[in-house]
């Protein structure tokens, strides 16, 4: 008899392949962009672009200085709270708005 490992579930193999190829990151990015459109005030959706999450902080690029200021001052906390509800697996703690 040989000491072959037991067969693996197809779903596990596909999940590992997607992770290795970076497809899971693409899916996560799409989910984040979709959730962002749901939580950001409509007036700012075309002026903002969520970029990446690092250590629980979402970096968002804002194309207009006045919009950046208003988002930071008045909308940051509600946006974080709503994103936490929609995507709890991201373990989002804060948002950092950047001009760009």
């Amino acid at each position: 008899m040989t000491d072959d490992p037991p067969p693996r579930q197809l779903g596990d193999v596909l999940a590992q392949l997607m992770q290795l190829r970076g497809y899971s990151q693409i899916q996560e990015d799409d989910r984040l962009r979709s959730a962002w459109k749901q939580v950001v005030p409509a007036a700012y959706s075309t002026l903002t672009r969520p970029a990446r999450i690092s250590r629980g902080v979402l970096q968002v690029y804002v194309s207009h200085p006045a919009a950046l200021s208003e988002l930071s001052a008045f909308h940051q906390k509600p946006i974080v709270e709503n994103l936490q509800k929609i995507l709890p697996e991201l373990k989002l703690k804060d948002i950092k708005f950047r001009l760009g």
Side-chain angles (χ1 to χ4, degrees):
M1 286 211 159
T2 62
D3 291 329
D4 291 335
R8 293 172 42 192
Q9 294 287 330
L10 180 58
D12 295 340
V13 173
L14 289 175
Q16 184 179 13
L17 177 62
M18 288 180 69
Q19 184 177 17
L20 288 172
R21 295 286 183 181
Y23 298 129
S24 61
Q25 183 64 41
I26 293 169
Q27 285 180 321
E28 185 177 296
D29 290 347
D30 288 344
R31 289 183 60 221
L32 176 60
R33 279 192 292 271
S34 176
W36 180 257
K37 289 178 184 179
Q38 293 175 38
V39 300
V40 71
Y44 301 107
S45 66
T46 60
L47 301 175
T48 58
R49 180 176 45 92
R52 65 185 179 101
I53 297 175
S54 177
R55 298 181 183 175
V57 178
L58 172 62
Q59 293 193 16
V60 176
Y61 291 105
V62 184
S63 62
H64 195 277
L68 186 147
S69 179
E70 191 167 323
L71 284 165
S72 296
F74 302 110
H75 300 285
Q76 185 169 352
K77 186 176 179 182
I79 291 173
V80 169
E81 290 170 353
N82 288 327
L83 282 174
Q84 288 170 335
K85 291 176 188 171
I86 295 172
L87 299 171
E89 67 275 8
L90 296 181
K91 298 182 175 127
L92 189 65
K93 298 178 209 166
D94 200 7
I95 296 177
K96 179 83 173 183
F97 294 103
R98 297 184 178 274
L99 197 58

